[in-house]
Amino acid sequence: MEHDLSPSALAELRRPRPYPAVSVLTPTHRRDPLSTEDAVRLRTMVAEAKKKLESDPAVPRERRADVAAQLDRALAEVDLAHAEDGLVIFAAPGEHQVWSLARSVPERVVLSDTFLTRNLVSAQTAERPFWVLSVAADRATLWSGGQHRVTEERAGGFPLVREEPNFDPEREMRVGDQPSSYRDEDTRRFLKEAATALTSLVRAHPRPLYVTGEPAALSLLCEFGGACKDAVQVPHGGLAQGTPEMVWQAVRPVLEEQDGKRAEEVARELESARSRKDFAAGVDELWQSAREGRIRLLAVEENYRITVRDDGEHLVVAEDGDLDAREDIVDEIVEQCLETGADVRFVPDGALGDAQGMAAVLRY
């Protein structure tokens, strides 16, 4: 299952396909007791997708069989034991993908000439993914972080390991090896190699970067420049060969502090916008402003969801059973804002007060 929505991956997903490009969306659960329910729901949604293929006169028989087979292959690849909050299956002639999302999605099947990507974009933005590089004199490990977790990432040549570190065992026993090892020329070359590899990876997959290690190692990485120069330093050794939980516990206080500062900054910007009459709230006004490219900053509470329908002039709250209900309007607005260059910030639930889940600073 895929997790990392890089700019290149998003561009590839948005590429037009021969009709039909099928998108199947379903919510999932992280806890085992609900895995049976998730499996039943997923099979039902795939069956619905096949039914739509069968009933669509625009789909030739050979292509229908191809896409149905791709749906079956995608279904076989789903691992609900590692499910998050949402699942998306893409299938088109000759290809399929399965994406696991840390944000819930509505139950939906869409046949089009492109895949439905807005839920992936919104989930990636809400998760605020980041990189962590943990370094020691003989190892550099890369971690991929998101909400409440980090996992080791084997990409870009990582982990990097020095096969024959040039240490003095006797001196290591007397005083410990860190002070001397980071003055060693072989260690400097090794860390420079790690810094160079990381810079290339961050250029291809841009995210905020955190670096953990002994202070001497962090000082060297900063000296080498590149992505490490602007990274947030976490002076904590022993994590290059640590566990994901150890790394998460080390970086979590730093992340929480930064999240708090960002939420305060958003609150100040929104309050200032109110006084300048550049403030917008309410799903209908925000949708209109997003489509016109007028939003400069969009703030969204992390778990805010609302289902609406279009009454011909405005978006209004949908009633149960409305056939034209739009369950993922928040994700639509987020994606539209990102398309027009807006800054999208997710903030804790309740942080926006009377704005009721979502608010914006307008460009004009």
Side-chain angles (χ1 to χ4, degrees):
M1 295 192 294
E2 303 286 345
H3 298 268
D4 182 19
L5 187 66
S6 65
S8 58
L10 180 59
E12 171 60 21
L13 286 174
R14 286 177 166 170
R15 175 177 58 82
R17 262 81 177 170
Y19 185 84
V22 180
S23 303
V24 179
L25 287 71
T26 181
T28 52
H29 300 84
R30 294 174 185 256
R31 291 179 170 80
D32 288 340
L34 292 172
S35 61
T36 302
E37 175 189 328
D38 288 345
V40 172
R41 179 188 290 117
L42 181 57
R43 288 195 296 269
T44 300
M45 296 302 292
V46 170
E48 181 181 336
K50 290 181 178 180
K51 185 177 180 180
K52 285 193 173 186
L53 287 171
E54 286 287 343
S55 61
D56 192 335
V59 183
R61 183 177 61 182
E62 295 81 3
R63 190 170 294 175
R64 181 185 308 127
D66 184 352
V67 177
Q70 296 295 335
L71 286 169
D72 287 337
R73 294 190 186 106
L75 186 60
E77 292 176 10
V78 172
D79 181 5
L80 290 175
H82 296 91
E84 298 178 276
D85 301 310
L87 190 75
V88 179
I89 289 176
F90 295 130
E95 63 173 320
H96 66 272
Q97 294 187 33
V98 180
W99 288 80
S100 177
L101 309 182
R103 183 172 168 84
S104 185
V105 297
E107 288 189 355
R108 195 169 184 191
V109 174
V110 177
L111 275 62
S112 184
D113 57 358
T114 58
F115 293 136
L116 185 67
T117 61
R118 60 173 170 257
N119 303 95
L120 271 68
V121 171
S122 183
Q124 184 86 347
T125 305
E127 189 175 35
R128 300 188 292 278
F130 57 89
W131 296 119
V132 180
L133 179 70
S134 297
V135 295
D138 60 346
R139 184 179 176 89
T141 305
L142 181 68
W143 310 89
S144 175
Q147 284 186 325
H148 315 304
R149 63 176 173 82
V150 297
T151 56
E152 185 175 353
E153 183 79 11
R154 293 181 176 268
F158 290 99
L160 294 176
V161 181
R162 281 178 65 188
E163 296 181 0
E164 298 179 0
N166 184 24
F167 296 145
D168 178 346
E170 293 183 2
R171 190 178 194 285
E172 180 180 344
M173 291 179 65
R174 293 196 304 271
V175 299
D177 76 320
Q178 277 82 9
S180 60
S181 66
Y182 291 114
R183 290 196 297 268
D184 177 78
E185 190 58 34
D186 287 341
T187 303
R188 291 177 62 88
R189 279 196 293 268
F190 172 71
L191 291 181
K192 186 173 183 179
E193 178 187 353
T196 301
L198 184 68
T199 298
S200 297
L201 183 137
V202 172
R203 187 180 297 120
H205 304 276
R207 298 183 185 181
L209 173 63
Y210 300 82
V211 181
T212 78
E214 298 291 340
L218 298 182
S219 178
L220 274 179
L221 287 172
C222 186
E223 177 185 322
F224 295 140
C228 293
K229 184 177 181 180
D230 299 321
V232 177
Q233 296 188 1
V234 183
H236 191 304
L239 299 179
Q241 300 190 54
T243 65
E245 180 61 21
M246 291 168 61
V247 176
W248 171 249
Q249 293 301 330
V251 301
R252 184 176 66 174
V254 181
L255 295 170
E256 290 176 347
E257 180 182 359
Q258 292 191 323
D259 284 347
K261 289 179 179 179
R262 280 192 286 264
E264 291 174 1
E265 179 185 340
V266 168
R268 287 194 297 269
E269 290 207 44
L270 291 173
E271 189 60 34
S272 178
R274 284 181 187 270
S275 63
R276 298 192 311 268
K277 310 299 184 185
D278 292 335
F279 176 87
V283 66
D284 184 53
E285 182 179 4
L286 291 171
W287 175 232
Q288 294 291 340
S289 299
R291 288 194 298 176
E292 294 166 2
R294 298 176 57 209
I295 294 179
R296 179 175 66 80
L297 167 67
L298 179 71
V300 186
E301 292 183 357
E302 289 174 347
N303 294 298
Y304 178 60
R305 291 288 186 184
I306 186 171
T307 302
V308 301
R309 62 177 179 83
D310 191 338
D311 71 355
E313 296 183 0
H314 300 283
L315 297 182
V316 298
V317 177
E319 303 291 337
D320 290 342
D322 282 348
L323 297 179
D324 56 350
R326 295 160 70 172
E327 297 178 60
D328 53 355
I329 187 63
V330 174
D331 290 357
E332 287 190 56
I333 292 172
V334 167
E335 185 183 46
Q336 185 63 43
C337 286
L338 291 170
E339 287 288 320
T340 55
D343 183 10
V344 177
R345 310 274 189 91
F346 281 81
V347 298
D349 293 342
L352 299 181
D354 61 2
Q356 297 182 343
M358 193 161 51
V361 178
L362 301 179
R363 292 188 171 106
Y364 58 91

